[in-house]
Amino acid sequence: MAPTGGPTEGPSESEKPEKAEADKDDDHGQADKDGTEAPDKPAGTADGDVQDSSDSAKGPGAPAGVGADAGAAVAPSGSGEDEDGDTPSADKAEPKSEGAPARSRPAWAKGDGEDRKSDGEDKKADGGDKQADGKSDGKGDGGDGKKGEEPVDRPTAVFKTLPREQVDQPTTMLKLPRELKAKPSTGPSAKATASPTASPTVGSTAERNVEPSAKAATASSTAAPAVQPPAEPTVQPSAAPSDEQASTFVPLRRTDVPLPPAEAERTRQQPMPPLPPLDLLAELTNTPPPPETPVRTAVRRVKIWTPLVLLLLIVFAVVQALRPLPTPGLTLSGEPTYTFEGGKLDLPWPGEGQGGVEVEGVGTIGMYGEQKPAPIASVAKAMTAYVILKDHPISGDEVGPKITVDKQAGEESDRPDESTAPIKEGQQFTQKQMLQLLMIPSGNNAARLLARWDATSEEAFVEKMNAAAEDLGMTNTTYTDPSGLEASTVSTAADQLKLGKAVMQNDVFREIVNTPQIKIPGVEPMIYNNNRILLEPGVSGIKTGSSTPAGGNLLWTADTIIDGESRRIVGAVMGAQQGATLDDKLQLSIDNSLKVIKAAQEGVTSAAVVKKGEVVGYVDDGLGGRTPVVATKDLRAVGWAGLEVRLKLGVGAGGQVPHSAEAGTVVGELTIGSGTGKVSTPVALQKDLAEPGFGAKLTRIG
């Protein structure tokens, strides 16, 4: 663009000497490089900042004294080059207008050599407006511009800025401390810029020559107002001092207020979650974590889980080793049963009624007839004796307390239609004597007297009889009176076998029922037992009973010798009705019973089930270890042909198998049968018994 001031005039004669002086000033380059002003030049001027007046200010109509300075201040973009592309040398200064002081070259402009392109590039120090003026299209002699050619706008070259001073700061979050605040420049250019009395021409020139360090400080102050020092009021020169007044900078806040001390900024963010172990380690060691791959993932999992698994295994092993050992037990290794040779034993059963035979402690030989409740007559007195001995037990030579015969018992002794004991009112008999009067002559009055003595009434005593029957498992038995005279007192042969086995456990009772005859003081005459087979070998009988509804009944016992030991056989024959009289019926039942007794005594035998030294089982330590045990003697079981007996291997009453023992140590017994029919043999270790090893303890689960 053409300058607004109109055509410029050529320099006057008075200005030529000043041009010569300006050429001399270039010889003082060393002084300019040191950043100081030449002594012969006025402050605020520099070489190379003003173009040759012969090229830019010779146009017609240019005012004297204005063209040179105006051309330098408002040079258009790209005015540093002529049309031929040649850059004028920085040391070829143009003649200056009269009254324009000479300006020194700033230090930053000479750092890159004399070939820096500086002509036509002006920039204000405070970052203000750029003013660009087109080339002068003067027609003076020696002008480089072509006649009639339009001016061209070219971009202004940018000054290179010096690197900012590096400051060590602990963190970018901290504010700059006081000592690092930007300081105002004290160079000549800054003074020229800050001077309020500078002329418009000189001021505009000084603004373009402000050192980059001062500009950087100004930019830094603008970017960070918190640390900007108080700004001094400056005078902004205008491009046309004749038309406009200079502006004055007014600070937005007071400059005399002290700045607050710098302090570290505090974060208001929420705490971040903890990093994974590998990421945290990478951050602490400043080493980035390796890329994730399936192999690294597998290796990491192995490294993490292997110690945990090993720890769990160690704890498991310690717990398994310290756990209490299970209690060892005995286990039968052979068949748990043994069957006697021969066919099934057949007994001579009667053709009427019901009955059965059983070997005590071994089992039942057989039963006959329909097992349904039927009247049992005086056989009921066996339960009366059982309850009395249960409530008032006696054994051996004991006779028990004395019982006084009451008036009712004395009066009932004369009844002709029932069996009675010859006792009188006021007499005293021992408990044993009263049991003898009950069982041997089968006195009904003695049964009712014992009931009143034990339970104060016959009805209460009957309740005790039924309760005892229930305890023995006599499910088909009902008692309604203590003597059995009433037809409502019923039972079965199977139930009576249960009662016979229980009541024969008392030695006083066995002695009484095995007595054929007896003389009791105060009782006349001799008392005889109506069970006439008591004199047969091994027969000891329990109780007879006969009545019209019941017929002839007999509950009996017999002994047999097996392997030098006595074995008791219990039997019952009930419902003999083929006799003409009650006595005939009773004798028929006795005869039938004797046949069965003799067949049972002959049929019951023994057999060797286990021989001495035979392995019968083993000790199980509970962890898989087994130590065999052997029988210490022959074991013979009691039975009969076709009988199947069961073997049991155990530790015995109150015994316990040890965890370790030497060979030959008895650790249990092998038994067959139960009760009085039980047979057994001790068992011992075949070899040493040792505690389970560590491996067995470690692998146990239960």
Side-chain angles (χ1 to χ4, degrees):
M1 293 176 59
T4 58
T8 59
E9 296 180 356
S12 62
E13 295 294 332
S14 61
E15 293 176 351
K16 295 181 180 179
E18 295 178 2
K19 180 178 180 182
E21 291 178 3
D23 295 335
K24 294 179 181 180
D25 292 339
D26 293 338
D27 298 334
H28 300 281
Q30 183 65 31
D32 293 340
K33 293 179 182 179
D34 296 337
T36 60
E37 296 181 358
D40 296 335
K41 297 180 181 180
T45 59
D47 293 341
D49 292 338
V50 182
Q51 290 182 345
D52 191 352
S53 61
S54 63
D55 298 333
S56 60
K58 287 184 178 182
V66 179
D69 292 339
V74 224
S77 175
S79 62
E81 296 180 358
D82 57 11
E83 294 181 356
D84 297 334
D86 297 331
T87 303
S89 176
D91 55 353
K92 293 181 180 181
E94 294 290 332
K96 304 176 181 58
S97 61
E98 185 177 0
R103 290 170 292 176
S104 63
R105 178 180 299 180
W108 54 268
K110 298 180 181 181
D112 295 337
E114 296 296 329
D115 56 350
R116 176 181 298 274
K117 297 179 181 180
S118 59
D119 298 331
E121 296 176 358
D122 296 327
K123 187 176 183 182
K124 294 182 180 181
D126 55 357
D129 298 339
K130 294 181 181 179
Q131 294 181 354
D133 198 357
K135 282 186 177 182
S136 174
D137 53 355
K139 300 180 181 179
D141 297 336
D144 294 335
K146 294 181 180 181
K147 182 178 181 181
E149 184 177 359
E150 294 293 333
V152 179
D153 291 339
R154 292 190 177 91
T156 303
V158 180
F159 288 115
K160 292 185 178 179
T161 59
L162 295 179
R164 296 179 61 183
E165 182 180 0
Q166 300 295 328
V167 180
D168 291 336
Q169 296 181 3
T171 175
T172 57
M173 297 298 293
L174 299 178
K175 294 182 179 180
L176 293 175
R178 286 182 178 274
E179 57 270 14
L180 297 181
K181 293 181 180 179
K183 297 180 180 180
S185 175
T186 58
S189 300
K191 290 180 180 180
T193 305
S195 175
T197 59
S199 63
T201 305
V202 176
S204 61
T205 306
E207 288 177 352
R208 292 194 301 271
N209 294 332
V210 174
E211 293 183 0
S213 60
K215 294 183 180 182
T218 304
S220 175
S221 301
T222 305
V227 296
Q228 181 178 2
E232 298 179 0
T234 59
V235 177
Q236 179 66 32
S238 61
S242 61
D243 299 333
E244 299 178 3
Q245 297 294 330
S247 63
T248 304
F249 172 77
V250 179
L252 298 180
R253 61 184 177 85
R254 295 180 58 185
T255 58
D256 57 346
V257 178
L259 295 177
E263 59 179 1
E265 294 184 358
R266 297 181 180 178
T267 179
R268 299 180 182 272
Q269 298 179 354
Q270 296 295 328
M272 298 296 292
L275 295 175
L278 292 181
D279 295 344
L280 180 60
L281 179 62
E283 182 175 330
L284 294 177
T285 58
N286 200 20
T287 303
E292 190 71 20
T293 62
V295 176
R296 286 196 177 95
T297 301
V299 171
R300 183 174 66 254
R301 290 178 179 175
V302 170
K303 290 181 179 179
I304 293 174
W305 287 104
T306 298
L308 297 177
V309 172
L310 292 177
L311 179 60
L312 291 177
L313 290 177
I314 293 174
V315 172
F316 176 77
V318 172
V319 171
Q320 289 289 80
L322 297 180
R323 283 177 60 186
L325 294 174
T327 302
L330 289 170
T331 304
L332 192 67
S333 60
E335 293 293 332
T337 59
Y338 175 81
T339 303
F340 284 81
E341 297 178 355
K344 184 179 180 180
L345 177 62
D346 291 331
L347 296 176
W349 303 113
E352 61 177 346
Q354 59 179 310
V357 177
E358 180 179 343
V359 178
E360 185 178 1
V362 178
T364 301
I365 296 178
M367 304 292 294
Y368 78 94
E370 184 180 1
Q371 300 295 317
K372 64 180 182 178
I376 57 177
S378 292
V379 176
K381 293 182 174 68
M383 177 58 76
T384 302
Y386 177 77
V387 173
I388 293 296
L389 289 173
K390 183 180 179 181
D391 293 343
H392 309 277
I394 57 176
S395 61
D397 297 334
E398 296 177 351
V399 295
K402 289 185 177 182
I403 301 172
T404 301
V405 179
D406 59 8
K407 180 179 180 180
Q408 181 180 347
E411 293 176 353
E412 292 175 351
S413 63
D414 295 334
R415 289 183 178 182
D417 56 346
E418 57 179 311
S419 59
T420 61
I423 55 177
K424 298 178 181 179
E425 181 183 356
Q427 288 182 317
Q428 289 186 338
F429 299 98
T430 63
Q431 178 183 344
K432 184 176 181 179
Q433 290 173 342
M434 289 300 300
L435 290 174
Q436 291 170 345
L437 294 172
L438 172 69
M439 300 302 295
I440 297 174
S442 188
N444 291 343
N445 58 342
R448 290 187 283 265
L449 176 61
L450 286 172
R452 293 190 297 270
W453 172 73
D454 178 77
T456 67
S457 68
E458 296 180 23
E459 291 77 9
F461 188 79
V462 170
E463 292 180 0
K464 286 187 176 182
M465 295 173 68
N466 288 317
E470 184 178 357
D471 291 342
L472 294 175
M474 301 168 64
T475 57
N476 295 321
T477 300
T478 301
Y479 293 99
T480 59
D481 69 299
S483 64
L485 180 62
E486 298 178 1
S488 57
T489 297
V490 296
S491 183
T492 61
D495 284 354
Q496 291 304 307
L497 292 180
K498 295 176 183 179
L499 174 62
K501 292 186 295 182
V503 73
M504 289 297 288
Q505 301 303 316
N506 188 279
D507 56 344
V508 174
F509 184 81
R510 290 197 305 268
E511 179 186 348
I512 293 173
V513 298
N514 200 29
T515 301
Q517 58 186 20
I518 189 174
K519 180 67 173 74
I520 299 176
V523 177
E524 296 294 341
M526 179 76 67
I527 299 175
Y528 293 94
N529 196 327
N530 57 6
N531 184 5
R532 55 184 176 84
I533 62 174
L534 291 177
L535 300 177
E536 296 290 335
V539 178
S540 59
I542 296 179
K543 187 69 185 73
T544 60
S546 60
S547 67
T548 301
N553 301 322
L554 178 63
L555 177 62
W556 53 266
T557 63
D559 295 335
T560 182
I561 305 300
I562 305 296
D563 297 332
E565 295 183 7
S566 178
R567 301 291 178 178
R568 182 179 294 124
I569 304 173
V570 181
V573 175
M574 297 171 56
Q577 297 289 350
Q578 294 181 0
T581 62
L582 289 179
D583 186 64
D584 293 341
K585 295 177 181 179
L586 178 59
Q587 296 304 320
L588 181 60
S589 64
I590 292 175
D591 293 340
N592 292 335
S593 296
L594 182 60
K595 295 177 183 179
V596 175
I597 289 172
K598 290 182 177 181
Q601 289 175 333
E602 294 176 358
V604 176
T605 183
S606 66
V609 179
V610 176
K611 295 182 178 180
K612 181 180 179 179
E614 183 179 351
V615 176
V616 295
Y618 55 85
V619 175
D620 188 355
D621 60 8
L623 300 180
R626 295 183 176 184
T627 304
V629 294
V630 296
T632 58
K633 64 178 183 179
D634 294 344
L635 178 62
R636 300 184 66 84
V638 176
W640 49 90
L643 175 66
E644 183 180 271
V645 294
R646 182 169 294 275
L647 288 76
K648 295 180 181 179
L649 181 62
V651 296
Q656 186 175 359
V657 180
H659 290 288
S660 61
E662 297 180 354
T665 303
V666 176
V667 294
E669 63 179 3
L670 180 66
T671 62
I672 300 176
S674 61
T676 57
K678 174 183 176 181
V679 292
S680 62
T681 178
V683 295
L685 296 171
Q686 188 181 39
K687 61 181 182 179
D688 294 343
L689 175 63
E691 286 189 359
F694 179 76
K697 295 179 181 179
L698 187 62
T699 56
R700 62 175 166 171
I701 299 176

